[in-house]
Amino acid sequence: MTEAAALPGQPRGGVLSGPATARAVNVLAPNASAMTLDGTNTWIVSEPGSGLAVVIDPGPLDDVHLQHVIATAEKAGQRVALTLLTHGHPDHAEGAARFAELTGSKVRALDPALRLGDEGLGAGDVITTGGLELRVVPTPGHTADSLCFHLPADQAVLTGDTVLGRGTTVVAHPDGRLGDYLDSLRRLRSLTVDDGVHTVLPGHGPVLEDAQGAVEFYLAHRANRLAQVETAVENGHAAPSQVVAHVYADVDRSLWPAAELSVRAQLDYLREHGLI
């Protein structure tokens, strides 16, 4: 067993930018950080042989990156016909308006404030562009407006920040809610069991080859963290910052502000269920 295969979801090694499946190509944004990992994955998806492409999450407002995305599509003989957003965080969506200006494409998102054009995105929507089929999967939790996109022809799902290629994501309280997030993970698990999805194309980090393993790891991780938070409160650590210091003691302190968002979401969940 390789080291990568031993990690949750079996992350694919090698360079992140470039083709990931028959229909998906990643263009990595130059915004690496502790929160964004290697940077934002901007996905170009298209049906083989088609002259039209869909771009998911143009990323930050960085003209060099946006032009690189366009050039990558053009090199493959494609025109960007549509832009989609998994959610509205700036590292995914800040460049969308500029990208639409450069490409002439509409922007579709769940949040009306992020749309450019008349059409939004909702549960059950099927996007067909140039023969490509993408199915919209509502996955609130990381944020209220989080979506994933099921790419059935490649048995893949584009997850934004709902499932990352490395580590785990933040439940961005108060917009993000833990109960919603757990439901979303179960919805993704159903895709792996019932619809044959085996590849995760995440918003950050490497491609995951074992989608079901990744989702099961996330569910187990959340259950474990929730139990730790509950125990911390029982032991007198009442304030969110105290819980973070107790539960996330082994995590880089630069990530504690983000961890506190998840802790606040966990505390809300425990209160809602009468557990604290």
Side-chain angles (χ1 to χ4, degrees):
M1 178 181 291
T2 66
E3 182 180 358
L7 297 172
Q10 296 184 16
R12 186 183 297 174
V15 178
L16 295 180
S17 283
T21 68
R23 293 166 179 79
V25 174
N26 181 30
V27 181
L28 183 64
N31 61 335
S33 71
M35 288 296 293
T36 61
L37 304 181
D38 310 274
T40 300
N41 294 334
T42 294
W43 291 101
I44 303 172
V45 288
S46 61
E47 194 64 18
S50 173
L52 301 179
V54 175
V55 167
I56 298 173
D57 290 350
L61 183 54
D62 181 318
D63 256 38
V64 173
H65 171 64
L66 300 179
Q67 294 284 5
H68 186 197
V69 174
I70 295 168
T72 301
E74 289 178 345
K75 186 176 180 180
Q78 297 165 345
R79 174 177 63 84
V80 177
L82 181 63
T83 301
L84 305 176
L85 299 177
T86 61
H87 65 297
H89 279 168
D91 57 313
H92 293 258
E94 186 182 36
R98 173 61 175 157
F99 190 69
E101 179 183 332
L102 292 170
T103 61
S105 66
K106 294 181 179 180
V107 177
R108 296 181 64 181
L110 180 61
D111 185 349
L114 299 171
R115 301 173 191 165
L116 292 173
D118 297 330
E119 291 185 284
L121 292 171
D125 284 352
V126 178
I127 296 155
T128 54
T129 300
L132 178 78
E133 180 182 306
L134 286 169
R135 301 175 185 173
V136 178
V137 183
T139 50
H142 169 66
T143 60
D145 69 331
S146 287
L147 299 170
C148 293
F149 299 99
H150 178 198
L151 179 55
D154 285 350
Q155 296 179 296
V157 61
L158 297 108
T159 56
D161 281 356
T162 299
V163 175
L164 305 178
R166 186 170 66 251
T168 56
T169 199
V170 172
V171 179
H173 181 274
D175 183 46
R177 295 175 55 83
L178 181 59
D180 291 341
Y181 186 63
L182 294 174
D183 287 343
S184 293
L185 290 176
R186 296 184 189 108
R187 192 170 297 119
L188 290 177
R189 181 172 58 187
S190 294
L191 283 182
T192 71
V193 173
D194 301 330
D195 295 278
V197 167
H198 58 69
T199 302
V200 172
L201 305 176
H204 303 278
V207 171
L208 300 178
E209 305 281 10
D210 177 15
Q212 184 173 350
V215 175
E216 294 287 1
F217 170 77
Y218 265 58
L219 283 165
H221 171 79
R222 284 296 167 197
N224 182 53
R225 282 297 194 208
L226 196 62
Q228 291 175 325
V229 170
E230 184 177 2
T231 299
V233 173
E234 290 172 352
N235 290 336
H237 303 284
S241 59
Q242 293 175 324
V243 175
V244 171
H246 182 74
V247 173
Y248 291 82
D250 59 340
V251 173
D252 188 327
R253 281 176 175 260
S254 69
L255 298 175
W256 280 16
E260 185 170 324
L261 296 179
S262 285
V263 164
R264 289 179 180 274
Q266 290 163 331
L267 291 171
D268 278 0
Y269 181 89
L270 291 169
R271 292 188 193 100
E272 289 164 5
H273 289 78
L275 297 173
I276 59 172

